[in-house]
C-alpha cells in the first residue's frame, strides 16, 4: 500500500517459512469443513447425509455423463440424445463440467458420484483458503501470520461458500478471485502478463457464468488500484492499457469455450425474456441480518464473513492511519458491489441480465471478498489500534445484533440460540483483539485465530444442519437398481435407436438418461431449446425453459417420440428416500413386458416410430388449443399421415357425487365450493367405459395445488410444475372409471376436464403406415446419423430431433441438403421420390472459430512477452506500493 509501518516481528521477510502459510490455510480449512460436517451429520465420509438441492436433482447426472464421455463416448461431447429429445452440450460443459477438479471424479465408481462431489467441494473450499492466504501474503506482507490464516478461513468458509457449497461449479471462481487480484497487481506493477491472462482464461473455461462476475469486479479493482497508485495521467493510462490488453488476451485464450457457449445460449436460454422488475429489491432492509451466525439460505444475500473481518472492515473507515483517498476508493467499490442488494437493475447486471432461479445474489461472494480485503488492510495496523479504531466497530456490531433481534420474526433462520452464539463469538473476538492490542503477546494472536475457527466451524455446522439433505446411500441404491434394468433392456434390444423413459424419479432428477446413458424425453439443464417446452405444453407434458419431464404422456405421444420402452414401479413415493412415483401410466397395462425387477416393470411399445420417417412434403403444422390436449395430439398424428382419423372417442361423466360441496358452472369454468369449510369435501365423477381401452382423463393443471386426485382408487402425484391440462392414463375397471377430487381448499376452480378413450388399432395402423417409409439407420452416433429411406413421391424426412439453426448439416446421396424446421419443433429434410442415403452430422457451432481465436490469443501473448522482454529496462516506473 502507499504507507509504511514498523512491522517488527510481523515482517514476513524475516520469516521465510511463512511463505508456506497458504498450505497451512489449506489444511486448517480442510479440517474445519470436515469437522463441521461431522457435527452436522452432513459428512458422507463418516456416514452423514449430504445430497440436496440441484446437486441431487441435476449435477450428479451430469457427472455420470462426464464419466461416459471419458470412458469413450466421445461422440456425445457436442450433442447428446440423453439431453431431452436431443440437444447441444456446449453450454452444459462450460457451466457444469470444465473445472479441472472434475477429473478427480473419475477415480470413484459410478455409484459413488455423490461422495466424489463432496470430496470436490471439500477440496475447493480448502483451495479457496490457500488462495486467499497466498494473496494476502503478497498484497499485505506485514499481516501477522494468525491474522492471515484467520482471514483465509473467513473467506473460504464465508456464508456464500457454505450455503451454496452444493453448487460446486461456482466455487472455482471463489478460488480464482484472490489469485486474479494478485495477478492483476503484478500486471499493473510489473507488466507480468502470464499469470493474469492464464488465470483469467482458466476462470472463463471453468465456469463462464461466475467468470462474467469476476470480469466485472476486475474492472472495478483495476480502477481502484489506479486511484491507489495515482501519480499522473500517463502512469494511469499505461496501467489501464495493460489491464485491457491482458484481459483481451485472457478472453481470446478462452474463446475455444466462449464462442460455442455463446451460440448455445443464444439458441436457448438467451431467448428467455427478463420480466419487468421494480427499481428497489424487496427485502433489502433485512440484509444486515445475514451477518448473524448460522443464517441459512433464505432469499437474502449470503454475506456472513465473521466478526473479525466485519469488525476490521468498519474500523478501516474510522482509522486515522489511512489516507482519505484510500477510504473513499475502497468505500465506493463496496457501495457499487452492495448496490446489487438494493437495485434490481444492478442485481440483474451481475447475473448476466438473466434473473437467477432458486439461488439469488450469486455474486455476493464478491462483496464478501471485498469486505475481507479492506479488513486485511486495517488489520495490518492492529498494533496501532486505539479507541477510534475499535469502538465504532463495536457499536456497529452491537447495532447489527440488536437489529437481528428485532427482525427475528421476519427472517427465516434467526433463533435465540443463533443470536446467543453470535453474541458470544462477537464478545470473544472483540476481547481477544483488544487484549492483543493492549498486551501484544503471542498467546492472544493465536487465541484470535482459535476464536475465528470456532465461529466459522459453528456457522458451517448450523447451516449444514438446516439444508435439505438425504443420505448418499439413497443415490447409490437407486443408481444400482436403475442400472440393472436399463442394462437388461439395452442387452435385449439392439435396435439402432430408441428412446426410454419412466414415471418415477429420485430427488426430482430428470437426468437419469445422462446417468445411465440412454436416449430419453426428459431433462433438467440450464440450456434447452425453447421450442421443446412449447411443444410439450401443447401435448400436456410438463416442461419449462430449462427442463422437461416425460411423466404423464399418452400412448400416442409415446409412439410419435419413439419411446419404445416405458418403466413404471410399484414402489410408493418415499420422502425419506427422496423418491417419487408419479403413477400415471396404467394405460400401458396391456403392452408386453420386457423386464420386471426390483419393483420396476418395463413395457415395450411396439408401435414406437423410428427416429425419422417420411411425411407429406406439404405437411401443415396444426394449430394447438390451450385446453384440448388430446385434440392436439390427434391433429398432430393426422398431420403426419395426411389423414383425418379420430384416435380418441370422448366419454361423458355422470353428475358428480358431492360430499359437503356445491358445484356451479359458468362461462369461465366449473367451481366446487365447500358447504362447511371446517369439514372435508369431495367430488366423485363416474365415467361409463364399457370397452377395455386406454382411457385418459384430462384435468386442469390448477388442481395441482387445490385438490387431492385419485383415479380408480389410486392417488395421483402430479409433477410439481404443470403449464397445461394433464392427461391421466388408465384402464377401465368393471366397465367404468372413477375420478375423485378431495378439496384441499374451500373452493376449487377448473376449466378443463375431458374423458377420452384411445383406439389402439387406429394408432397401430397409422404407425405401421409411417414405419413403412422409415429412415433405416445403419450408423448411430450422437454426432452422426446415417441411413436409407425410400419415398414414393416428393416428401420430407421428419425426425424427432429438436431443430436448431446451427450444428446439424445434412447430405442426401452424398450431396449437401437443406435442413428445415417441421411442426415448429423438429428437423426435417426435403426429399424427392426414390431411394436415398441421408446423413445428418453435428458439429459444435463456433468450435472452429473458437479454436482459431484461442490460437491467436496464444500467439499474441507470446508476442507481447517478447516485446516486454526487449523493452523492460526502459520502463520500470509503475510500481504499486
Amino acid at each position: 500500500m502507499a504507507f509504511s509501518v514498523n512491522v517488527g516481528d510481523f515482517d514476513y521477510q524475516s520469516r521465510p517459512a511463512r511463505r508456506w502459510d497458504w498450505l497451512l490455510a489449506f489444511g486448517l480449512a480442510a479440517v474445519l469443513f470436515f469437522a463441521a460436517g461431522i457435527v452436522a451429520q452432513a459428512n458422507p465420509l463418516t456416514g452423514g447425509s449430504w445430497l440436496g438441492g440441484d446437486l441431487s436433482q441435476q449435477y450428479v447426472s451430469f457427472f455420470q455423463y462426464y464419466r461416459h464421455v471419458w470412458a469413450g463416448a466421445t461422440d456425445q461431447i457436442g450433442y447428446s440424445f440423453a439431453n431431452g429429445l436431443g440437444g447441444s452440450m456446449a453450454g452444459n460443459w462450460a457451466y457444469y463440467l470444465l473445472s479441472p477438479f472434475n477429473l478427480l471424479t473419475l477415480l470413484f465408481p459410478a455409484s459413488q458420484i455423490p461422495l466424489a462431489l463432496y470430496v470436490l467441494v471439500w477440496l475447493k473450499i480448502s483451495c479457496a483458503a490457500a488462495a486467499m492466504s497466498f494473496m494476502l501474503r503478497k498484497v499485505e506482507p506485514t499481516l501477522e501470520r494468525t491474522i492471515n490464516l484467520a482471514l483465509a478461513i473467513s473467506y473460504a468458509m464465508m456464508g456464500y461458500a457454505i450455503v451454496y457449497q452444493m453448487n460446486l461449479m461456482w466455487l472455482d471462481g471463489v478460488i480464482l478471485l484472490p489469485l486474479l487480484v494478485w495477478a492483476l497487481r503484478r500486471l499493473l506493477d510489473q507488466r507480468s502478463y502470464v499469470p493474469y491472462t492464464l488465470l483469467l482464461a482458466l476462470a472463463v473455461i471453468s465456469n463462464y457464468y461466475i467468470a462474467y462476475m469476476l470480469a466485472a469486479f476486475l474492472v472495478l479493482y483495476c480502477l481502484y488500484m489506479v486511484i491507489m497508485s495515482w501519480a499522473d495521467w500517463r502512469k494511469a493510462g499505461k496501467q489501464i492499457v495493460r489491464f485491457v490488453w491482458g484481459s483481451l488476451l485472457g478472453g481470446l485464450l478462452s474463446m475455444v469455450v466462449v464462442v460455442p457457449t455463446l451460440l448455445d445460449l443464444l439458441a436457448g436460454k438467451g431467448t428467455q425474456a427478463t420480466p419487468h422488475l421494480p427499481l428497489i429489491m424487496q427485502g433489502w432492509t433485512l440484509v444486515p441480518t445475514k451477518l448473524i451466525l448460522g443464517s441459512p439460505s433464505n432469499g437474502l444475500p449470503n454475506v456472513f464473513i465473521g466478526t473479525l473481518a466485519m469488525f476490521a472492515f468498519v474500523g478501516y473507515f474510522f482509522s486515522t492511519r489511512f489516507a482519505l483517498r484510500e477510504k473513499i476508493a475502497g468505500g465506493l467499490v463496496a457501495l457499487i458491489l452492495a448496490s446489487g442488494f438494493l437495485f434490481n437493475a444492478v442485481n440483474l447486471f451481475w447475473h448476466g441480465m438473466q434473473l437467477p432461479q432458486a439461488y439469488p445474489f450469486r455474486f455476493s461472494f464478491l462483496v464478501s471478498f471485498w469486505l475481507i480485503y479492506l479488513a486485511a488492510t486495517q488489520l495490518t495496523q492492529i498494533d496501532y489500534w486505539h479507541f477510534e479504531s475499535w469502538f465504532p466497530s463495536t457499536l456497529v456490531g452491537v447495532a447489527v445484533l440488536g437489529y437481528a433481534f428485532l427482525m427475528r420474526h421476519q427472517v427465516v433462520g434467526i433463533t435465540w440460540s443463533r443470536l446467543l452464539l453470535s453474541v458470544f463469538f462477537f464478545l470473544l473476538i472483540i476481547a481477544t483483539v483488544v487484549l492483543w492490542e493492549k498486551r501484544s503477546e503471542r498467546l492472544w494472536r493465536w487465541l484470535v485465530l482459535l476464536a475465528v475457527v470456532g465461529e466459522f466451524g459453528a456457522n458451517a455446522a448450523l447451516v449444514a444442519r438446516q439444508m435439505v439433505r438425504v443420505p448418499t446411500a439413497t443415490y447409490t441404491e437407486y443408481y444400482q437398481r436403475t442400472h440393472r434394468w436399463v442394462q437388461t433392456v439395452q442387452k435385449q434390444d439392439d435396435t439402432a435407436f430408441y428412446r426410454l423413459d419412466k414415471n418415477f424419479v429420485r430427488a426430482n432428477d430428470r437426468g437419469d438418461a445422462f446417468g445411465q446413458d440412454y436416449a430419453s424425453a426428459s431433462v433438467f439443464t440450464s440450456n434447452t431449446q425453447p421450442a421443446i417446452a412449447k411443444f410439450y405444453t401443447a401435448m400436456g407434458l410438463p416442461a419449462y425453459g430449462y427442463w422437461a419431464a416425460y411423466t404423464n404422456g399418452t400412448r400416442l405421444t409415446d409412439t410419435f417420440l419413439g419411446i419404445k420402452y416405458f418403466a413404471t414401479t410399484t414402489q410408493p413415493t418415499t420422502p425419506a428416500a427422496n423418491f417419487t412415483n408419479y403413477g400415471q401410466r396404467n394405460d400401458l397395462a396391456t403392452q408386453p413386458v420386457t423386464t420386471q425387477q426390483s419393483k420396476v416393470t418395463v413395457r415395450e411399445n411396439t408401435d414406437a416410430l423410428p427416429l425419422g420417417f417420411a411425411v407429406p412434403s406439404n405437411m401443415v403444422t396444426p394449430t394447438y388449443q390451450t385446453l384440448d390436449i388430446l385434440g392436439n395430439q390427434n391433429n398432430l398424428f393426422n398431420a403426419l399421415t395426411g389423414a383425418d382419423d379420430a384416435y380418441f372417442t370422448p366419454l361423458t361423466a355422470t353428475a358428480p357425487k358431492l360430499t359437503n360441496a356445491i358445484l356451479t358452472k359458468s362461462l369461465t369454468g366449473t367451481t366446487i365450493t365447500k358447504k362447511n369449510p371446517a369439514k372435508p369435501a369431495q367430488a366423485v365423477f363416474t365415467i361409463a367405459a364399457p370397452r377395455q381401452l386406454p382411457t385418459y382423463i384430462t384435468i386442469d393443471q390448477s388442481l395441482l395445488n387445490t385438490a387431492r386426485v385419485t383415479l380408480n382408487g389410486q392417488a395421483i402425484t402430479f409433477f410439481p410444475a404443470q403449464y397445461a391440462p394433464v392427461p391421466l392414463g388408465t384402464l377401465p375397471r368393471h366397465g367404468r372409471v372413477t375420478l375423485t377430487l378431495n378439496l384441499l381448499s374451500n373452493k376449487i376452480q377448473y376449466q378443463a376436464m375431458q374423458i377420452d378413450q384411445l383406439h389402439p388399432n387406429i394408432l397401430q395402423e397409422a404407425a405401421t403406415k409411417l414405419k413403412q417409409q422409415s429412415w433405416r439407420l445403419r450408423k448411430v452416433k450422437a454426432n452422426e446419423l446415417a441411413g436409407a429411406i425410400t419415398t414414393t413421391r416428393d416428401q420430407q424426412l421428419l425426425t424427432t430431433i429438436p431443430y436448431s439453426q446451427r450444428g446439424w448439416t445434412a447430405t442426401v446421396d452424398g450431396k449437401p441438403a437443406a435442413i428445415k424446421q417441421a411442426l415448429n419443433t423438429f428437423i426435417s429434410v426435403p426429399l424427392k421420390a426414390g431411394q436415398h442415403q441421408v446423413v445428418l452430422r453435428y458439429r459444435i457451432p463456433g468450435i472452429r472459430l473458437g479454436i482459431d481465436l484461442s490460437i491467436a490469443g496464444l500467439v499474441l501473448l507470446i508476442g507481447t512477452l517478447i516485446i516486454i522482454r526487449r523493452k523492460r529496462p526502459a520502463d520500470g516506473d509503475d510500481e504499486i506500493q
Side-chain angles (χ1 to χ4, degrees), residues 595-608:
T595 184
Q596 199 166 19
Q597 51 183 285
S598 302
K599 299 182 180 180
V600 172
T601 300
V602 182
R603 297 183 184 275
E604 180 181 358
N605 175 17
T606 56
D607 295 330

Side-chain angles (χ1 to χ4, degrees), residues 455-706:
E455 183 180 30
F456 279 93
N459 179 71
L462 287 171
V463 170
R465 276 187 177 274
Q466 299 168 84
M467 291 179 176
V468 178
R469 297 173 286 113
V470 295
T472 53
T474 61
Y475 176 85
T476 300
E477 179 185 351
Y478 176 86
Y479 175 86
Q480 291 174 340
R481 186 172 66 246
T482 303
H483 186 70
R484 285 193 294 269
W485 65 259
V486 170
Q487 286 285 296
T488 300
V489 172
Q490 291 175 337
K491 289 177 181 178
Q492 291 183 11
D493 192 329
D494 59 357
T495 305
F497 183 91
Y498 58 85
R499 292 190 174 100
L500 182 157
D501 227 308
K502 54 192 177 55
N503 69 337
F504 53 89
V505 295
R506 182 209 56 83
N508 208 21
D509 184 1
R510 286 136 282 178
D512 275 338
F514 283 122
Q516 303 293 342
D517 194 20
Y518 61 82
S520 171
S522 301
V523 72
F524 181 17
T525 174
S526 295
N527 302 289
T528 58
Q529 292 286 343
I532 295 300
K534 293 179 181 178
F535 176 79
Y536 270 45
T537 299
M539 297 297 111
L541 302 167
Y544 189 62
Y546 51 92
W547 58 264
Y550 196 86
T551 55
N552 62 284
T554 68
R555 288 174 66 163
L556 192 147
T557 56
D558 292 351
T559 298
F560 172 66
L561 295 175
I563 298 175
K564 189 175 181 180
Y565 298 97
F566 198 90
T568 59
T569 183
T570 57
Q571 180 180 343
T573 295
T574 312
N578 220 1
F579 179 85
T580 304
N581 178 3
Y582 290 107
Q584 299 173 9
R585 294 308 307 271
N586 290 340
D587 58 313
L588 305 180
T590 58
Q591 291 184 340
V593 174
T594 298
T595 184
Q596 199 166 19
Q597 51 183 285
S598 302
K599 299 182 180 180
V600 172
T601 300
V602 182
R603 297 183 184 275
E604 180 181 358
N605 175 17
T606 56
D607 295 330
L609 294 175
L611 184 61
F613 46 89
V615 297
S617 59
N618 60 348
M619 180 181 68
V620 177
T621 301
T623 300
Y624 299 128
Q625 303 299 318
T626 304
L627 301 180
D628 190 9
I629 297 301
L630 296 185
N632 293 342
Q633 296 184 14
N634 198 106
N635 293 338
L636 169 67
F637 245 80
N638 281 332
L640 303 179
T641 62
D644 189 20
D645 293 324
Y647 294 92
F648 297 97
T649 296
L651 302 179
T652 304
T654 59
K657 180 182 178 181
L658 302 173
T659 302
N660 186 35
I662 300 172
L663 184 147
T664 57
K665 293 186 176 182
S666 66
L667 294 176
T668 58
T670 302
T671 302
I672 301 177
T673 308
K674 282 186 177 182
K675 290 181 180 179
N676 185 344
K679 294 183 178 180
Q682 185 182 78
V684 180
F685 298 82
T686 302
I687 303 101
R691 302 183 67 184
Q692 194 70 5
L693 299 176
T695 304
Y696 298 93
I697 299 183
T698 306
I699 65 173
D700 201 297
Q701 69 269 29
S702 64
L703 296 177
L704 171 69
N705 299 313
T706 60

